[in-house]
Every structure is written in structure tokens, then in C-alpha cells.
mmCIF file of all heavy atoms in Angstrom:
data_model
loop_
_atom_site.group_PDB
_atom_site.id
_atom_site.type_symbol
_atom_site.label_atom_id
_atom_site.label_comp_id
_atom_site.label_asym_id
_atom_site.label_seq_id
_atom_site.Cartn_x
_atom_site.Cartn_y
_atom_site.Cartn_z
ATOM 1 N N PHE A 1 107.379 -63.622 51.235
ATOM 2 C CA PHE A 1 108.462 -62.890 51.892
ATOM 3 C C PHE A 1 108.981 -63.699 53.085
ATOM 4 O O PHE A 1 110.163 -63.829 53.311
ATOM 5 C CB PHE A 1 108.021 -61.480 52.324
ATOM 6 C CG PHE A 1 109.037 -60.729 52.999
ATOM 7 C CD1 PHE A 1 110.120 -60.204 52.252
ATOM 8 C CD2 PHE A 1 109.018 -60.437 54.371
ATOM 9 C CE1 PHE A 1 111.131 -59.476 52.907
ATOM 10 C CE2 PHE A 1 109.961 -59.707 55.010
ATOM 11 C CZ PHE A 1 111.069 -59.222 54.294
ATOM 12 N N GLU A 2 108.088 -64.241 53.844
ATOM 13 C CA GLU A 2 108.443 -65.046 55.004
ATOM 14 C C GLU A 2 109.301 -66.226 54.589
ATOM 15 O O GLU A 2 110.271 -66.610 55.282
ATOM 16 C CB GLU A 2 107.187 -65.512 55.754
ATOM 17 C CG GLU A 2 107.507 -66.312 57.012
ATOM 18 C CD GLU A 2 106.209 -66.767 57.743
ATOM 19 O OE1 GLU A 2 105.127 -66.289 57.383
ATOM 20 O OE2 GLU A 2 106.347 -67.617 58.632
ATOM 21 N N ARG A 3 108.938 -66.866 53.495
ATOM 22 C CA ARG A 3 109.625 -68.068 53.031
ATOM 23 C C ARG A 3 111.011 -67.773 52.452
ATOM 24 O O ARG A 3 111.914 -68.643 52.547
ATOM 25 C CB ARG A 3 108.767 -68.799 52.011
ATOM 26 C CG ARG A 3 107.496 -69.432 52.553
ATOM 27 C CD ARG A 3 106.642 -70.005 51.425
ATOM 28 N NE ARG A 3 105.417 -70.592 51.995
ATOM 29 C CZ ARG A 3 104.410 -71.071 51.183
ATOM 30 N NH1 ARG A 3 104.554 -71.002 49.879
ATOM 31 N NH2 ARG A 3 103.361 -71.623 51.710
ATOM 32 N N VAL A 4 111.188 -66.636 51.784
ATOM 33 C CA VAL A 4 112.431 -66.395 51.052
ATOM 34 C C VAL A 4 113.345 -65.374 51.714
ATOM 35 O O VAL A 4 114.495 -65.183 51.206
ATOM 36 C CB VAL A 4 112.145 -65.965 49.601
ATOM 37 C CG1 VAL A 4 111.223 -66.930 48.916
ATOM 38 C CG2 VAL A 4 111.546 -64.545 49.564
ATOM 39 N N SER A 5 112.897 -64.737 52.760
ATOM 40 C CA SER A 5 113.644 -63.599 53.317
ATOM 41 C C SER A 5 115.077 -63.976 53.825
ATOM 42 O O SER A 5 115.942 -63.182 53.829
ATOM 43 C CB SER A 5 112.896 -62.946 54.458
ATOM 44 O OG SER A 5 112.627 -63.870 55.479
ATOM 45 N N MET A 6 115.260 -65.246 54.179
ATOM 46 C CA MET A 6 116.615 -65.660 54.686
ATOM 47 C C MET A 6 117.440 -66.368 53.593
ATOM 48 O O MET A 6 118.545 -66.797 53.897
ATOM 49 C CB MET A 6 116.405 -66.607 55.891
ATOM 50 C CG MET A 6 115.653 -66.011 57.048
ATOM 51 S SD MET A 6 116.443 -64.495 57.623
ATOM 52 C CE MET A 6 117.944 -65.150 58.298
ATOM 53 N N ASN A 7 116.922 -66.401 52.374
ATOM 54 C CA ASN A 7 117.583 -67.122 51.296
ATOM 55 C C ASN A 7 118.347 -66.118 50.449
ATOM 56 O O ASN A 7 117.784 -65.192 49.853
ATOM 57 C CB ASN A 7 116.582 -67.867 50.450
ATOM 58 C CG ASN A 7 117.216 -68.771 49.436
ATOM 59 O OD1 ASN A 7 118.313 -68.499 48.924
ATOM 60 N ND2 ASN A 7 116.541 -69.865 49.070
ATOM 61 N N ARG A 8 119.701 -66.249 50.404
ATOM 62 C CA ARG A 8 120.526 -65.320 49.640
ATOM 63 C C ARG A 8 120.748 -65.771 48.220
ATOM 64 O O ARG A 8 121.571 -65.180 47.485
ATOM 65 C CB ARG A 8 121.861 -65.119 50.381
ATOM 66 C CG ARG A 8 121.741 -64.572 51.778
ATOM 67 C CD ARG A 8 120.938 -63.265 51.809
ATOM 68 N NE ARG A 8 121.541 -62.226 50.935
ATOM 69 C CZ ARG A 8 120.902 -61.135 50.562
ATOM 70 N NH1 ARG A 8 119.670 -60.921 50.943
ATOM 71 N NH2 ARG A 8 121.552 -60.236 49.798
ATOM 72 N N ASP A 9 120.062 -66.809 47.728
ATOM 73 C CA ASP A 9 120.260 -67.295 46.403
ATOM 74 C C ASP A 9 119.165 -66.795 45.463
ATOM 75 O O ASP A 9 118.804 -67.441 44.444
ATOM 76 C CB ASP A 9 120.274 -68.812 46.360
ATOM 77 C CG ASP A 9 121.502 -69.408 47.041
ATOM 78 O OD1 ASP A 9 122.543 -68.710 47.047
ATOM 79 O OD2 ASP A 9 121.406 -70.517 47.641
ATOM 80 N N ARG A 10 118.617 -65.645 45.757
ATOM 81 C CA ARG A 10 117.531 -65.023 44.943
ATOM 82 C C ARG A 10 118.010 -63.707 44.377
ATOM 83 O O ARG A 10 117.792 -62.658 44.977
ATOM 84 C CB ARG A 10 116.282 -64.827 45.805
ATOM 85 C CG ARG A 10 115.796 -66.014 46.645
ATOM 86 C CD ARG A 10 115.125 -67.054 45.802
ATOM 87 N NE ARG A 10 114.576 -68.094 46.642
ATOM 88 C CZ ARG A 10 113.801 -69.117 46.182
ATOM 89 N NH1 ARG A 10 113.600 -69.199 44.907
ATOM 90 N NH2 ARG A 10 113.321 -70.010 47.016
ATOM 91 N N PRO A 11 118.663 -63.735 43.201
ATOM 92 C CA PRO A 11 119.252 -62.514 42.690
ATOM 93 C C PRO A 11 118.302 -61.346 42.496
ATOM 94 O O PRO A 11 118.677 -60.186 42.724
ATOM 95 C CB PRO A 11 119.841 -62.945 41.322
ATOM 96 C CG PRO A 11 120.046 -64.399 41.494
ATOM 97 C CD PRO A 11 118.971 -64.863 42.388
ATOM 98 N N LEU A 12 117.056 -61.624 42.178
ATOM 99 C CA LEU A 12 116.109 -60.527 41.948
ATOM 100 C C LEU A 12 115.704 -59.835 43.214
ATOM 101 O O LEU A 12 115.060 -58.765 43.203
ATOM 102 C CB LEU A 12 114.857 -61.086 41.235
ATOM 103 C CG LEU A 12 115.086 -61.537 39.767
ATOM 104 C CD1 LEU A 12 113.773 -62.068 39.192
ATOM 105 C CD2 LEU A 12 115.672 -60.415 38.910
ATOM 106 N N LEU A 13 116.044 -60.411 44.369
ATOM 107 C CA LEU A 13 115.717 -59.808 45.644
ATOM 108 C C LEU A 13 116.912 -59.101 46.296
ATOM 109 O O LEU A 13 116.826 -58.683 47.447
ATOM 110 C CB LEU A 13 115.120 -60.845 46.631
ATOM 111 C CG LEU A 13 113.864 -61.532 46.199
ATOM 112 C CD1 LEU A 13 113.365 -62.475 47.311
ATOM 113 C CD2 LEU A 13 112.754 -60.502 45.845
ATOM 114 N N TYR A 14 117.960 -58.881 45.526
ATOM 115 C CA TYR A 14 119.099 -58.134 46.011
ATOM 116 C C TYR A 14 118.752 -56.642 45.893
ATOM 117 O O TYR A 14 119.375 -55.884 45.094
ATOM 118 C CB TYR A 14 120.374 -58.428 45.205
ATOM 119 C CG TYR A 14 120.894 -59.858 45.355
ATOM 120 C CD1 TYR A 14 121.936 -60.299 44.545
ATOM 121 C CD2 TYR A 14 120.404 -60.722 46.305
ATOM 122 C CE1 TYR A 14 122.413 -61.575 44.630
ATOM 123 C CE2 TYR A 14 120.894 -62.046 46.391
ATOM 124 C CZ TYR A 14 121.892 -62.463 45.539
ATOM 125 O OH TYR A 14 122.399 -63.744 45.652
ATOM 126 N N THR A 15 117.792 -56.194 46.642
ATOM 127 C CA THR A 15 117.332 -54.822 46.566
ATOM 128 C C THR A 15 117.232 -54.236 47.986
ATOM 129 O O THR A 15 117.284 -54.970 48.978
ATOM 130 C CB THR A 15 115.950 -54.731 45.882
ATOM 131 O OG1 THR A 15 114.992 -55.430 46.738
ATOM 132 C CG2 THR A 15 115.984 -55.355 44.537
ATOM 133 N N GLU A 16 117.019 -52.952 48.085
ATOM 134 C CA GLU A 16 116.881 -52.271 49.401
ATOM 135 C C GLU A 16 115.565 -52.662 50.080
ATOM 136 O O GLU A 16 115.511 -52.665 51.306
ATOM 137 C CB GLU A 16 116.958 -50.767 49.241
ATOM 138 C CG GLU A 16 118.342 -50.231 48.804
ATOM 139 C CD GLU A 16 118.397 -48.741 48.739
ATOM 140 O OE1 GLU A 16 117.361 -48.097 49.097
ATOM 141 O OE2 GLU A 16 119.422 -48.218 48.420
ATOM 142 N N ASP A 17 114.552 -52.982 49.303
ATOM 143 C CA ASP A 17 113.221 -53.300 49.862
ATOM 144 C C ASP A 17 112.694 -54.563 49.202
ATOM 145 O O ASP A 17 111.879 -54.516 48.284
ATOM 146 C CB ASP A 17 112.315 -52.143 49.654
ATOM 147 C CG ASP A 17 110.945 -52.320 50.412
ATOM 148 O OD1 ASP A 17 110.733 -53.423 50.896
ATOM 149 O OD2 ASP A 17 110.188 -51.333 50.491
ATOM 150 N N PRO A 18 113.177 -55.765 49.643
ATOM 151 C CA PRO A 18 112.711 -57.004 49.031
ATOM 152 C C PRO A 18 111.205 -57.211 49.042
ATOM 153 O O PRO A 18 110.638 -57.783 48.062
ATOM 154 C CB PRO A 18 113.444 -58.082 49.835
ATOM 155 C CG PRO A 18 114.603 -57.406 50.448
ATOM 156 C CD PRO A 18 114.156 -56.002 50.696
ATOM 157 N N LEU A 19 110.558 -56.774 50.103
ATOM 158 C CA LEU A 19 109.107 -56.949 50.209
ATOM 159 C C LEU A 19 108.393 -56.185 49.066
ATOM 160 O O LEU A 19 107.456 -56.687 48.435
ATOM 161 C CB LEU A 19 108.579 -56.469 51.537
ATOM 162 C CG LEU A 19 107.086 -56.612 51.778
ATOM 163 C CD1 LEU A 19 106.623 -58.070 51.668
ATOM 164 C CD2 LEU A 19 106.683 -56.050 53.134
ATOM 165 N N GLN A 20 108.853 -54.966 48.805
ATOM 166 C CA GLN A 20 108.268 -54.183 47.700
ATOM 167 C C GLN A 20 108.583 -54.818 46.377
ATOM 168 O O GLN A 20 107.758 -54.800 45.433
ATOM 169 C CB GLN A 20 108.745 -52.725 47.786
ATOM 170 C CG GLN A 20 108.043 -51.789 46.770
ATOM 171 C CD GLN A 20 106.557 -51.751 46.968
ATOM 172 O OE1 GLN A 20 106.091 -51.504 48.108
ATOM 173 N NE2 GLN A 20 105.776 -51.966 45.941
ATOM 174 N N THR A 21 109.802 -55.322 46.252
ATOM 175 C CA THR A 21 110.167 -55.988 45.003
ATOM 176 C C THR A 21 109.266 -57.178 44.711
ATOM 177 O O THR A 21 108.807 -57.407 43.567
ATOM 178 C CB THR A 21 111.649 -56.463 45.084
ATOM 179 O OG1 THR A 21 112.507 -55.366 45.312
ATOM 180 C CG2 THR A 21 112.047 -57.189 43.809
ATOM 181 N N ILE A 22 108.983 -58.024 45.748
ATOM 182 C CA ILE A 22 108.066 -59.147 45.588
ATOM 183 C C ILE A 22 106.679 -58.643 45.174
ATOM 184 O O ILE A 22 106.074 -59.195 44.208
ATOM 185 C CB ILE A 22 107.996 -59.941 46.936
ATOM 186 C CG1 ILE A 22 109.310 -60.659 47.186
ATOM 187 C CG2 ILE A 22 106.840 -60.965 46.843
ATOM 188 C CD1 ILE A 22 109.390 -61.263 48.586
ATOM 189 N N THR A 23 106.225 -57.575 45.837
ATOM 190 C CA THR A 23 104.903 -57.049 45.488
ATOM 191 C C THR A 23 104.830 -56.589 44.080
ATOM 192 O O THR A 23 103.887 -56.938 43.303
ATOM 193 C CB THR A 23 104.576 -55.836 46.399
ATOM 194 O OG1 THR A 23 104.629 -56.245 47.755
ATOM 195 C CG2 THR A 23 103.191 -55.228 46.079
ATOM 196 N N ASP A 24 105.877 -55.922 43.580
ATOM 197 C CA ASP A 24 105.894 -55.373 42.229
ATOM 198 C C ASP A 24 105.973 -56.508 41.198
ATOM 199 O O ASP A 24 105.273 -56.516 40.191
ATOM 200 C CB ASP A 24 107.044 -54.431 42.046
ATOM 201 C CG ASP A 24 106.911 -53.146 42.853
ATOM 202 O OD1 ASP A 24 105.778 -52.859 43.262
ATOM 203 O OD2 ASP A 24 107.916 -52.477 43.079
ATOM 204 N N LEU A 25 106.886 -57.465 41.453
ATOM 205 C CA LEU A 25 107.030 -58.576 40.513
ATOM 206 C C LEU A 25 105.806 -59.410 40.427
ATOM 207 O O LEU A 25 105.438 -59.877 39.330
ATOM 208 C CB LEU A 25 108.254 -59.427 40.918
ATOM 209 C CG LEU A 25 109.636 -58.865 40.683
ATOM 210 C CD1 LEU A 25 110.725 -59.761 41.276
ATOM 211 C CD2 LEU A 25 109.890 -58.629 39.193
ATOM 212 N N LEU A 26 105.136 -59.705 41.532
ATOM 213 C CA LEU A 26 103.905 -60.491 41.490
ATOM 214 C C LEU A 26 102.864 -59.763 40.665
ATOM 215 O O LEU A 26 102.137 -60.415 39.846
ATOM 216 C CB LEU A 26 103.397 -60.701 42.932
ATOM 217 C CG LEU A 26 103.859 -61.934 43.660
ATOM 218 C CD1 LEU A 26 103.290 -61.958 45.061
ATOM 219 C CD2 LEU A 26 103.456 -63.212 42.920
ATOM 220 N N ALA A 27 102.736 -58.446 40.832
ATOM 221 C CA ALA A 27 101.733 -57.707 40.059
ATOM 222 C C ALA A 27 102.052 -57.785 38.551
ATOM 223 O O ALA A 27 101.125 -57.923 37.740
ATOM 224 C CB ALA A 27 101.724 -56.265 40.528
ATOM 225 N N GLU A 28 103.318 -57.738 38.231
ATOM 226 C CA GLU A 28 103.727 -57.768 36.800
ATOM 227 C C GLU A 28 103.490 -59.168 36.224
ATOM 228 O O GLU A 28 103.117 -59.250 35.017
ATOM 229 C CB GLU A 28 105.214 -57.465 36.679
ATOM 230 C CG GLU A 28 105.592 -56.000 36.981
ATOM 231 C CD GLU A 28 107.098 -55.828 37.043
ATOM 232 O OE1 GLU A 28 107.861 -56.779 36.616
ATOM 233 O OE2 GLU A 28 107.571 -54.745 37.451
ATOM 234 N N ARG A 29 103.616 -60.181 37.002
ATOM 235 C CA ARG A 29 103.616 -61.538 36.463
ATOM 236 C C ARG A 29 102.262 -62.273 36.556
ATOM 237 O O ARG A 29 102.089 -63.323 35.941
ATOM 238 C CB ARG A 29 104.658 -62.428 37.156
ATOM 239 C CG ARG A 29 106.093 -61.951 36.919
ATOM 240 C CD ARG A 29 107.078 -62.781 37.724
ATOM 241 N NE ARG A 29 108.476 -62.422 37.518
ATOM 242 C CZ ARG A 29 109.503 -62.941 38.113
ATOM 243 N NH1 ARG A 29 109.270 -63.972 38.988
ATOM 244 N NH2 ARG A 29 110.727 -62.542 37.880
ATOM 245 N N GLU A 30 101.334 -61.763 37.317
ATOM 246 C CA GLU A 30 100.128 -62.494 37.611
ATOM 247 C C GLU A 30 99.375 -62.894 36.327
ATOM 248 O O GLU A 30 98.957 -64.041 36.190
ATOM 249 C CB GLU A 30 99.179 -61.715 38.517
ATOM 250 C CG GLU A 30 97.942 -62.479 38.908
ATOM 251 C CD GLU A 30 97.145 -61.832 40.016
ATOM 252 O OE1 GLU A 30 97.515 -60.707 40.464
ATOM 253 O OE2 GLU A 30 96.165 -62.464 40.484
#
């Protein structure tokens, strides 16, 4: 989250809660 929070070229993080999105996607992909 710290590394990507300022990057607007991440379409999957165009959400209301990017931190939760990262948490969910990591859990799905591990």
C-alpha cells in the first residue's frame, strides 16, 4: 500500500478502499 498509494496507473485499485482491495486480492492470489 505504501509503495502504490500514489500511483494512479493501477486500475484494480480504483476503489473506495484501496487498502482493503489489496488485502482481498492478496488473499485470493497467494
